[in-house]
Each structure stands twice: as C-alpha cells, then as structure tokens.
Amino acid sequence: MRRELNWWDLAWFGVGAVIGAGIFVLTGQEAKEAAGPAVVLSYAVSGISAMLSVFCYTEFAIEIPVAGGSFAYLRVELGDFMAFIAAGNILLEYCIGGAAVARSWTSYFATLLNHHPNDFRIHATSLAEDYNRLDPIAVVAKLSNFTADFAPYGARGIFAASAVLFFAYIGFDAVSTMAEETKNPAKDIPVGLVGAMALTTVVYCVLAVTLCLMQPYRDIDPDAPFSVAFSAVGMDWAKYIVAFGALKGMTTVLLVSAVGQARYLTHIARTHMAPPCLAVVSPRWGTPVRATVTMLTATAIIAFFTDLGILSNLLSISTLFIFMLVAVALLVHRYYASGETTTANRNKLVSCIAVILAASVGTAVYWGLAVDGGWAAYVVTVPAWFAATLYLHLGVPKARVPKMWGVPLVPWLPSASIFINIFLLGSIDAKSFMRFAIWTVALLVYYFFVGLHASYDTAKVLAAEAAAARVEEGGHKAVEIAGASN
C-alpha cells in the first residue's frame, strides 16, 4: 500500500476512530445504572488501561509495520494458533463495534427529530428480547449533582462501568493497521497514537463531569444523555447542536473502523486463514475493496438485529482479551529470541508469564465472585503478580533491544497492562462470557477444519518457492564461477 500518512494524520485518525458512541451513549447508561458521578473515575481507569495497550501496540507497529496489526504481532511472537484466535476476536470486535456505533447513531438521529429511538426501529415480536428492535437506520454546572452521591454503587460499580466504558477507547488499534501506509513509522506512530489517546482520555473525563453536573445521575437518559440533559436544563436549542455533533463523531468512527477492519481482514487473508480472494488490493485505488465490503456487510447485519448493551459487553470482552495477548506478546518479544535465549532463561520467562497470568486471573475471578469487604485472596494474588514481574525484571536477561522506539519500563508496563485488562474482564456479566465462549468454540472448529490446513499448505508452497529460488541462485553462481575459470 502507498506510504502517504504522517503523525498528524494518524493522531486525527485515532481521535476520529475513538470518540463516538462510547462517550455519547454509554456515559449515560453507566452513570445511571453502574457508577453515578464516579463514572469519571471509570473513564480514568479505562483510559489508563488503554494507554498501556497503546504503548504495546506502538512498539510492534514500528517493528512490524504491516497492515495486520495485532494479528501480525501475535503471529510472529505466539504462533499461528494464538494469532488465529485473536484474528477471530479482532474481526468480531470490529463488526460489533461498528454495529454498536450504528445503533447509537439512530438514538441521536431520533433526538434531532424530536423522536424516541424506538420510533425508528421495527419491533419484531417473534424474535428474542434484545434482538427484536430492528434498526433500519443503523454548559450548565450544578455542583450538588456531582457531590451529593458521588459513588452510589461503590468501587464495584466504578470498575464494572470501566469494563463497559473500555468500549469508548476502542479504535486506536485501527491506527496501528495503517503502519504500512505511514511515511516514517518510527516517529509518526508513537506521536500519533499516544497523542490521540491522551487527548481522548482528557476529553472523555471532562465530558463525563459535565454530564453529571447538568443532571442528577438518576435522571440521565441512557439513549441520548447529552441531548436530553440540555433539554432538562431548559436549553432545547442546544440539544440539536449536540445531536448533530454526536452524529458527526459516530460517523467518523464508522468510517475509520471500516478502514481498520478491512486491513485486518486483508492481512489475515494473506495467510490463507481467511479466503485469499479477500486479500486483493484494488490496482486503481490501492485499497482492499473486497475486504471492506465484506466487513461492512457483516457489521450491517449485526447492527440491524442486536441491542447496544449486548454489543458493548461482548465488544469489551473481545478487546480486553486481545490487548492482554498483545502485552504477553511484547514480553515474549523482549525476552525471547529463537536460537539465542538459553533453555533456562526461556523456562524462567514462561514461569514468570504463567504466574502473572494466574495472579491476574485469580484477582479478577475473586473480584467478580466475592462479596464486598473480602480481601483475603488479594493478599496472595497481588504480591504474586508483583514478585513475578520483579523476578522477570531482575532475573531474566532481555533478548532484544528496540532499534527505533520501545515501550518504557519493561516488564512493568506490559505486566500492568495484562493485570488491568484481565481485572476489568472480571467485572463483565456472565451472559457475555457465554456468548464469547460460543464464538471461541466456533473459531476453534473453523481453525482445525479449515484455517490450520490452509495456512499449512500456504507455508509449504512458500517454503518450496524459497528452496527453488536458492537452487536457482546456486545454479547461477556455479555458471559464473565456471565462466570465470575459463
């Protein structure tokens, strides 16, 4: 693909990809039902988690500047199997992310026309609840609202909201898929990605505070919170401006999402884990048109049927899982090099990562199942995570040093990313995990019956071509030597 983008382009791609349905819709939902005015803390927690993931993505995007994003990174560091599982979740993430934004688009469009969102949806009574609203369209400060009952649902509500609101930060990974089209990846990607995430986090926190100052959290509308809040304070004229701005923001999210998801699918198709015809790049436009049409069609189908609540929770699980894998891959990338790392150091690395994962999962499970006030397990799991990370830092030598730009404070930052991402997973409801499990089983069936054989056959063909090229090169050299001796 053509290299035409710089850091300024990437930064605004990042802002355009991220700021959309999350802030305009889920803020109201989570403030009303989960966190209250403390939703600003939920955004801060999600923002920290997202920023840690941004660092991990940035190093890989510079080292492996191709269109495949996290799929390409995981394939290099963790192998085809983990890459394929991630690939399925990446495609799911983009499909349901775009679908969620499309559903939210209707909510604000309805507000713009003084209607309820369901006025524009078809009620199919024969379908199950949460799937039966078919969607064919897919600053006033009152301090008492903010201080009277800041965290009505406690810490559990704050983290539960953080897990859902992570959806609001999804999209920055689409920027990493554009590394193949960036003029100077070593400079442009770090500045563009980190700058976009920092700006987005500040904007989200400010908007969350503003919303909770305008209305008591119990009165916030879950469908179009900002527009309705302006009406509630007697500024009906402003709700139209807000609705128009929200529609514009969500439209940019849909457009940038279309860019990212097509490039993911293109790279996956290049490995033959998806039909290779989807990897074709248009000679006229220099873009993957077939992959774009395929992903947008899937997104449209999901958006037509599925409720936003289901989409946001499933999306958060899928994305947090992928970001955790990328952080694990970064540790492997820094501490293991085939043929150079000793067996003893490799075993130390595997043990440290296993303890980090186990401690993180233990903390998340205990948080998800335990009643408030129980801290016994944390006394074991948190020190275990810290000890494993410390031993990795002091007792295992690094195998690689980044040539251009690298994540600072390794292994602490990627280890913290693993811990926070898994911890937030512990705050998501059980039904969403059931849906995620069904999707994962479907991926495994496809992989073992189709993807594994296709990628193996492709690898054999490439190996045969490489061997033939070496033989041909050797033949040419023999002829040259014979000619020289004559």
Side-chain angles (χ1 to χ4, degrees):
M1 301 183 196
R2 300 170 186 168
R3 293 190 178 274
E4 296 182 347
L5 304 177
N6 57 31
W7 69 266
W8 182 257
D9 300 317
L10 296 180
W12 288 109
F13 262 111
V15 172
V18 173
I19 297 181
I23 184 64
F24 291 122
V25 177
L26 292 180
T27 305
Q29 173 184 304
E30 296 307 307
K32 184 181 180 71
E33 300 172 2
V39 70
V40 62
L41 298 182
S42 301
Y43 267 118
V45 171
S46 298
I48 291 170
S49 177
M51 183 62 82
L52 292 175
S53 297
V54 162
F55 280 117
C56 297
Y57 266 83
T58 300
E59 179 170 329
F60 276 124
I62 293 169
E63 295 276 337
I64 311 172
V66 296
S70 52
F71 170 74
Y73 317 150
L74 294 173
R75 191 166 184 241
V76 169
E77 300 299 336
L78 302 182
D80 279 357
F81 177 72
M82 292 306 301
F84 180 80
I85 297 299
N89 283 286
I90 290 164
L91 297 180
L92 177 67
E93 170 196 330
Y94 273 101
C95 282
I96 61 181
V101 175
R103 296 286 294 195
S104 304
W105 200 95
T106 299
S107 297
Y108 273 91
F109 182 70
T111 302
L112 199 62
L113 300 181
N114 288 320
H115 279 267
H116 190 275
N118 284 341
D119 293 345
F120 294 88
R121 291 172 179 149
I122 303 166
H123 188 195
T125 55
S126 61
L127 297 179
E129 188 68 23
D130 295 329
Y131 298 92
N132 61 1
R133 292 287 181 180
L134 308 185
D135 194 336
I137 301 180
V139 168
V140 179
K142 189 175 181 183
L143 197 59
S144 61
N145 291 335
F146 200 69
T147 58
D149 197 2
F150 181 71
Y153 305 100
R156 194 166 294 278
I158 292 172
F159 285 110
S162 290
V164 176
L165 291 174
F166 197 84
F167 166 78
Y169 290 95
I170 292 168
F172 72 83
D173 54 326
V175 179
S176 70
T177 68
M178 307 182 77
E180 192 173 320
E181 299 160 80
T182 302
K183 294 177 181 176
N184 184 0
K187 170 193 168 186
D188 296 333
I189 292 175
V191 176
L193 270 175
V194 175
M197 186 52 61
L199 176 61
T200 298
T201 302
V202 171
V203 169
Y204 279 178
C205 291
V206 170
L207 287 175
V209 169
T210 301
L211 178 64
C212 292
L213 288 173
M214 293 177 72
Q215 275 189 298
Y217 74 91
R218 296 181 184 86
D219 299 334
I220 293 174
D221 183 80
D223 289 317
F226 287 95
S227 293
V228 174
F230 276 102
S231 292
V233 296
M235 299 175 65
D236 279 338
W237 58 269
K239 78 175 184 179
Y240 298 107
I241 298 175
V242 172
F244 180 79
L247 290 175
K248 181 180 180 296
M250 285 185 275
T251 302
T252 62
V253 169
L254 288 170
L255 292 174
V256 178
S257 175
V259 171
Q261 66 190 11
R263 279 148 183 78
Y264 268 120
L265 183 56
T266 298
H267 193 83
I268 294 167
R270 286 174 179 172
T271 68
H272 288 215
M273 289 186 184
C277 63
L278 298 176
V280 174
V281 175
S282 168
R284 179 180 179 186
W285 303 106
T287 55
V289 175
R290 294 182 184 178
T292 302
V293 172
T294 301
M295 291 299 294
L296 289 179
T297 301
T299 299
I301 293 171
I302 295 173
F304 188 67
F305 286 99
T306 313
D307 182 75
L308 177 63
I310 289 176
L311 294 173
S312 59
N313 282 342
L314 188 55
L315 180 62
S316 292
I317 292 178
S318 178
T319 307
L320 288 166
F321 176 70
I322 294 166
F323 289 175
M324 178 273 294
L325 287 180
V326 170
V328 171
L330 183 67
L331 291 177
V332 174
H333 177 71
R334 286 290 194 95
Y335 285 92
Y336 178 78
S338 180
E340 298 180 16
T341 304
T342 65
T343 302
N345 287 330
R346 182 197 64 194
N347 292 340
K348 290 178 184 177
L349 171 63
V350 171
S351 299
C352 288
I353 291 177
V355 173
I356 289 170
L357 290 172
S360 302
V361 170
T363 304
V365 170
Y366 189 71
W367 174 262
L369 299 178
V371 295
D372 290 333
W375 294 92
Y378 305 139
V379 176
V380 176
T381 59
V382 175
W385 168 83
F386 180 84
T389 308
L390 181 63
Y391 184 79
L392 184 58
H393 177 63
L394 298 176
V396 183
K398 290 186 175 70
R400 291 189 181 94
V401 176
K403 297 176 182 177
M404 293 176 281
W405 187 93
V407 176
L409 300 177
V410 173
W412 295 101
L413 285 188
S415 182
S417 180
I418 293 169
F419 185 88
I420 294 176
N421 286 334
I422 293 178
F423 181 77
L424 291 178
L425 284 171
S427 298
I428 297 176
D429 65 285
K431 287 186 178 180
S432 296
F433 276 102
M434 290 174 62
R435 298 182 186 105
F436 180 72
I438 292 170
W439 172 248
T440 302
V441 169
L443 286 178
L444 291 174
V445 170
Y446 177 87
Y447 178 76
F448 286 116
F449 284 95
V450 180
L452 177 62
H453 302 287
S455 60
Y456 176 73
D457 292 341
T458 303
K460 284 182 63 177
V461 170
L462 292 175
E465 290 177 352
R470 286 194 296 269
V471 170
E472 183 177 351
E473 182 180 355
H476 285 309
K477 287 183 178 179
V479 170
E480 290 174 2
I481 292 171
S485 62
N486 292 331

